[in-house]
Structures are given as structure tokens and as C-alpha cells.
């Protein structure tokens, strides 16, 4: 079983690159409102920063998918013209900073991207004094603030949604189980914050080293702690590309069964789809974007480009859709931070979302359960802010 773990470490490393917190500084140079004045009667200059130009084939594929999604959104705008210019960052923070500067010199009024947290942070800092906002595809709240906004779905969004749902279902006494690396520790903190801001209670936390021996050796003690805590739910930070498959097997083997404890996942449990067959995950909950809207986007993208979009390509569509909705108002201040953080938010290909004044975001998510190896929506994604789920 643990041979699988070795093969998944590379995938887990990709997650760490996406949410890594080391060496990042939120942009705080700008004042309380940032953003240029624009002429809404002309095409709005938008820069798209993508990770093209690196030595990674994955980066090249991601760059193409993001650009395709952005252009698809442009084609579907009504009454708004966007002048999109694409800049390759090479997945490198220094190049991202240089490209952000070049984009603004070329006339960009707003920057969409980059993807990776370090690059997004560097791009934001490079143009912080140029009065231009950056809508990054990162999901790392540590870089948010000032002129930098993150579009990626955050651990905080997922934790808030699932903790509130657990509390409403009478399963709000929650034990957190996490691996000892930065991504999962960040996930643990997000769950703790969600519990503190809800009617749920923290039953305790338990951790393990991310290695074969670390997981096996920790399980007896962790299982005993869970059983003695009175926890109704066990919130797992690990994903399918990391320790989750082993936890799903070892927890029941050590007396912690999904039949008596509600298992909850911070990450998607339906990717890859074969994870749905794991016995230990049957009955478990996780959160995901509105499936109907996401499937609609995937179908339109497939029809237009002849291939499936990258899992985060919808963020590029969302960014263009938000820009288009704001510019359509005809106001010169449509791309300022005040306009970007309007309370009603926007509707994207993954559902409703809105940007917050601190640079983070809120996204409407559905709650799913694995039943008989299938994903079943047990609480639909909200369709407006202030509705069910918020």
C-alpha cells in the first residue's frame, strides 16, 4: 500500500508550490484604495501573466489553458471590449516582476495572474506604486493585501463551509488530523479559525510525519486520542495525492470508523476519481464548486478547444468575467479596489465569488458526500451571498 505514497509525493510537492508560505510578504504599499481611472468607451487593456516559457511541460499546458479560458470569457462578454496581452513569467518570481512592470509600461490597467504564490507576490510588489491591481490565480492568503487579490479557492473558504455545515448537522465537535508540512499546517489553522468563528467546538488536534513509518507509527496514538476526545467529526487536511488513501485505510483498522465518526476533507476527494472507491471515505464530506456550472464550463471549453481545461483554468474566465461586469457599469473607477470588492460579488464558471478588502475571497461551495463510490451533493452551493451556505 505504501508504495503508492512514494509515487504521490511529487503531486503533493506541486500543492506546496501553490500554497507555500515561505518568504512571502503581502503587498501593503498601496493606500486604502488602489486602481487607475479608465476609459470604458475603449477596449480595456488587461495583462494576463501565465507560467509559459519555463522548462516544465505542465507549466506550458497550464499557460495555454489559462489563456484559452480568458479568451473564451472575452468572447462571451456583452457590450465590453478587452485588449488582452499575454506575458510569460516562466514560473519564476523575478521574471514575473519584470513582466508585470512591462505590462504596466505597455498600458495595462489591471493584471490577471500569475499562478504561483511567489510569482504573484513579486508581481504585486513590482507594480504596487503604479496604482494597478493584481488578480492572482494563487490560493495563498499570505500574499493577499494592498493591490494583490487572490482568485484561487482557499482553505479558509472550504473550512468555513464544512465546519458550519457540520455544526448544523449536530456533528460540530471536531478533531483535526494533519500532516506535519507547511501546506497541511496551514490547513489546520484554517479549520481552527473556522471553528472559532462558528458554533462548532474543537475536540483536539493530532498530527503525523509525512512518511510511511511516520503514518503507521502515529496511528494507534491518534486513534486513541480521537476515541477519547468525544469528537463527532474528524477533519482531515491530507489530499488524495498525499496521505489520505492511507488514513482512509488505517483509521478504520485502528478503530476509528466512518460509521461512528464523520470524516470531513479539506481537499477534493473526487480527484482522481478512483479515490471514490476507498472504503474508508464512504460517507465522507468534502466541498467543491457548483458542479452544474463547472460541468457547463468544461463542456463549452472542450467544444471550443478540443481538450479538457486545466482544473484552475476557470479562474482566468472568472477574472475576465469580473472585469467585464465592472467595466460595463461605464464608470471610470471600475477597476479600483473599492469596485473590485463590491458586496454582491460576481458569478463565475464555478459559482458565486467576491473579493474582500484584505485581498482574499469568498466562494460559494457545495457540500458533497461519497455514497457507493459516487459524489452526491447533500447541500447545494449558494446562489447569492447571504443565502444558505453563507
Amino acid at each position: 500500500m505504501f508504495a503508492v505514497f512514494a509515487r504521490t509525493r511529487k503531486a503533493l510537492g506541486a500543492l506546496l508550490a501553490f500554497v507555500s508560505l515561505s518568504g512571502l510578504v503581502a503587498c501593503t504599499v498601496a493606500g486604502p484604495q488602489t486602481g487607475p481611472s479608465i476609459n470604458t468607451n475603449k477596449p480595456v487593456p488587461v495583462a494576463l501573466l501565465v507560467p509559459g516559457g519555463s522548462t516544465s511541460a505542465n507549466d506550458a499546458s497550464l499557460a495555454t489553458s489559462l489563456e484559452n479560458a480568458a479568451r473564451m470569457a472575452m468572447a462571451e462578454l456583452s457590450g465590453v471590449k478587452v485588449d488582452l496581452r499575454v506575458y510569460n513569467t516562466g514560473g519564476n518570481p523575478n521574471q514575473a516582476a519584470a513582466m508585470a512592470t512591462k505590462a504596466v509600461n505597455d498600458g495595462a490597467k489591471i493584471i490577471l495572474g500569475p499562478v504561483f504564490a511567489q510569482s504573484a507576490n513579486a508581481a504585486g510588489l513590482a507594480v504596487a506604486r503604479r496604482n494597478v491591481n493584481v488578480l492572482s490565480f494563487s490560493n495563498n492568503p499570505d500574499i493577499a493585501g494592498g493591490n494583490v487579490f487572490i482568485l484561487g479557492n482557499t482553505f479558509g473558504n472550504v473550512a468555513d463551509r464544512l465546519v458550519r455545515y457540520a455544526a448544523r448537522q449536530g456533528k460540530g465537535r471536531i478533531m483535526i488530523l494533519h500532516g506535519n508540512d507547511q501546506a497541511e499546517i496551514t490547513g489546520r489553522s484554517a479549520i481552527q479559525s473556522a471553528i472559532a468563528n462558528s458554533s462548532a467546538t474543537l475536540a483536539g488536534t493530532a498530527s503525523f510525519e509525512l512518511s510511511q513509518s511516520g503514518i503507521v507509527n502515529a496511528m494507534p496514538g491518534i486513534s486513541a486520542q480521537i476515541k477519547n476526545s468525544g469528537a463527532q467529526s474528524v477533519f482531515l487536511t491530507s489530499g488524495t495525492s498525499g496521505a489520505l488513501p492511507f488514513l482512509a485505510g488505517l483509521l478504520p483498522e485502528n478503530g476509528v470508523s466512518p460509521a461512528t465518526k464523520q470524516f470531513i476533507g479539506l481537499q477534493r476527494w473526487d480527484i482522481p476519481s478512483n479515490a471514490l472507491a476507498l472504503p474508508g471515505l464512504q460517507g465522507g464530506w468534502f466541498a467543491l464548486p457548483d458542479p452544474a456550472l463547472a460541468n457547463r464550463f468544461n463542456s463549452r471549453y472542450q467544444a471550443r478547444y478540443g481538450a479538457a481545461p486545466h482544473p484552475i483554468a476557470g479562474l482566468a474566465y472568472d477574472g475576465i468575467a469580473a472585469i467585464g461586469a465592472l467595466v460595463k457599469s461605464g464608470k471610470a473607477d471600475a477597476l479600483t479596489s473599492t469596485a473590485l470588492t463590491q458586496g454582491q460579488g460576481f458569478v463565475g464558471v464555478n459559482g458565486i465569488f467576491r473579493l474582500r478588502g484584505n485581498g482574499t475571497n469568498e466562494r460559494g461551495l457545495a457540500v458533497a458526500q461519497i455514497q457507493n463510490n459516487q459524489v452526491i451533493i447533500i447541500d447545494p452551493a449558494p446562489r447569492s451571498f447571504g443565502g444558505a451556505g453563507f
Side-chain angles (χ1 to χ4, degrees):
M1 178 174 72
F2 287 97
V4 179
F5 186 79
R7 294 199 299 271
T8 62
R9 292 302 295 159
K10 184 175 181 180
L12 182 59
L15 171 66
L16 292 177
F18 198 61
V19 301
S20 173
L21 303 180
S22 58
L24 300 180
V25 181
C27 300
T28 55
V29 177
Q33 174 169 295
T34 57
S37 177
I38 63 172
N39 183 349
T40 59
N41 294 318
K42 294 183 177 181
V44 179
V46 176
L48 175 65
L49 271 59
V50 296
S54 77
T55 57
S56 167
N58 290 334
D59 284 354
S61 174
L62 173 56
T64 298
S65 199
L66 289 167
E67 181 178 351
N68 286 346
R71 295 197 182 282
M72 181 173 155
M74 289 167 55
E76 296 177 357
L77 291 177
S78 175
V80 175
K81 297 294 184 182
V82 170
D83 176 13
L84 186 72
R85 300 186 183 184
V86 182
Y87 300 82
N88 288 324
T89 69
N92 177 277
N94 291 334
Q95 189 170 333
M99 290 298 100
T101 300
K102 183 178 189 309
V104 175
N105 289 343
D106 290 344
K109 299 300 183 182
I110 192 165
I111 293 174
L112 191 56
V115 175
F116 305 112
Q118 291 90 343
S119 293
N121 187 65
L125 289 171
V127 300
R129 296 187 183 278
R130 303 290 296 276
N131 203 32
V132 172
N133 288 311
V134 175
L135 305 184
S136 165
F137 303 131
S138 174
N139 65 351
N140 185 342
D142 214 51
I143 65 167
N147 66 325
V148 175
F149 297 85
I150 57 173
L151 291 174
N153 187 29
T154 65
F155 284 160
N157 283 336
V158 175
D160 287 342
R161 179 69 165 107
L162 291 168
V163 164
R164 289 197 305 269
Y165 182 75
R168 292 201 307 271
Q169 301 305 309
K171 298 182 178 182
R173 184 166 175 78
I174 299 171
M175 168 73 75
I176 304 172
L177 178 56
H178 68 93
N180 279 332
D181 69 3
Q182 189 59 65
E184 296 203 32
I185 290 170
T186 300
R188 177 203 64 192
S189 297
I191 300 168
Q192 288 173 325
S193 295
I195 292 172
N197 292 321
S198 72
S199 61
T201 57
L202 179 65
T205 62
S207 63
F208 53 87
E209 293 297 329
L210 279 169
S211 67
Q212 175 177 330
S213 60
I215 296 173
V216 173
N217 294 338
M219 273 306 104
I222 287 174
S223 298
Q225 183 181 350
I226 293 171
K227 287 182 281 189
N228 294 332
S229 70
Q232 298 162 313
S233 301
V234 181
F235 211 138
L236 309 170
T237 62
S238 298
T240 57
S241 64
L244 181 65
F246 318 117
L247 299 176
L250 289 172
L251 284 169
E253 287 176 14
N254 284 272
V256 179
S257 168
T260 57
K261 305 292 183 186
Q262 179 63 57
F263 287 6
I264 307 174
L266 187 64
Q267 299 188 49
R268 292 279 295 267
W269 285 2
D270 58 332
I271 303 173
S273 59
N274 59 10
L276 298 173
L278 292 170
L281 298 187
Q282 301 306 307
W285 298 341
F286 63 97
L288 75 171
D290 188 316
L293 294 177
N295 290 339
R296 222 172 289 161
F297 167 70
N298 291 341
S299 296
R300 297 203 318 275
Y301 185 102
Q302 179 86 37
R304 188 180 182 95
Y305 298 110
H310 187 280
I312 70 165
L315 298 180
Y317 189 106
D318 285 357
I320 293 293
I323 291 167
L326 292 170
V327 171
K328 194 172 184 179
S329 70
K331 297 179 181 178
D333 63 353
L335 298 183
T336 63
S337 54
T338 299
L340 289 167
T341 55
Q342 61 177 5
Q344 66 267 36
F346 310 95
V347 179
V349 295
N350 292 312
I352 60 169
F353 70 98
R354 62 183 173 188
L355 300 173
R356 304 170 67 189
N358 63 2
T360 62
N361 66 69
E362 292 179 274
R363 285 186 171 270
L365 302 172
V367 177
Q369 184 176 47
I370 300 177
Q371 300 177 12
N372 299 318
N373 304 346
Q374 294 182 322
V375 176
I376 305 297
I377 301 301
I378 56 176
D379 198 41
R383 294 303 176 95
S384 64
F385 291 98
F390 276 99

